[in-house]
Amino acid sequence: PCSEPHDNEVFAVKSVGTVFGDDFPGREAIEQHSYESCVASFPGYVGVDYAESSLGVFTFTPTDESWGEGDREFVCALYSIDLVKLNGTALSSGL
C-alpha cells in the first residue's frame, strides 16, 4: 500500500490495442511504445511534466510468449530516481 514506504508505484495499465497487429513486434518496439505512452500519461497522474520530475518511469510489457496468448497490456510504474523509498502516493504530488 502507498501508506507504507515502497520502491515503485503503478500509475497506469494500458493496452497496445491493434497498434502492432497480430504478430509480436519485438521486445525493443513494444518497450519503446510502452515507455512513450507511459511518459505521456505521467503528467496527468503526478501533476508535473516528466522532464521536471524527480521520478523515473519503467514498464512491464508483454513477452513473445504472452503475446501469443493474447496479452496486449502493459503496466506503467514510477520510482524515485534517487532510489529512495516512496512515502504516500505520487498521485498529484508534483514530485
Side-chain angles (χ1 to χ4, degrees):
C2 289
S3 60
E4 297 177 18
H6 51 286
D7 295 322
N8 311 298
E9 182 172 333
V10 171
F11 68 93
V13 177
K14 300 177 157 214
S15 173
V16 296
T18 58
V19 171
F20 296 110
D22 291 334
D23 295 329
F24 184 67
R27 185 177 183 131
E28 186 175 319
I30 195 74
E31 287 179 357
Q32 183 67 31
H33 172 81
S34 301
Y35 179 79
E36 290 173 2
S37 180
C38 291
V39 168
S41 296
F42 185 90
Y45 186 82
V46 178
V48 66
D49 189 66
Y50 182 64
E52 300 170 10
S53 177
S54 63
L55 301 172
V57 167
F58 68 97
T59 63
F60 295 102
T61 60
T63 63
D64 189 14
E65 182 179 336
S66 71
W67 189 272
E69 297 169 357
D71 181 13
R72 300 295 186 274
E73 289 187 334
F74 58 94
V75 175
C76 303
L78 54 82
Y79 64 96
S80 168
I81 58 175
D82 295 334
L83 302 179
V84 297
K85 300 248 184 219
L86 299 169
N87 289 303
T89 182
L91 178 64
S92 301
S93 67
L95 293 174

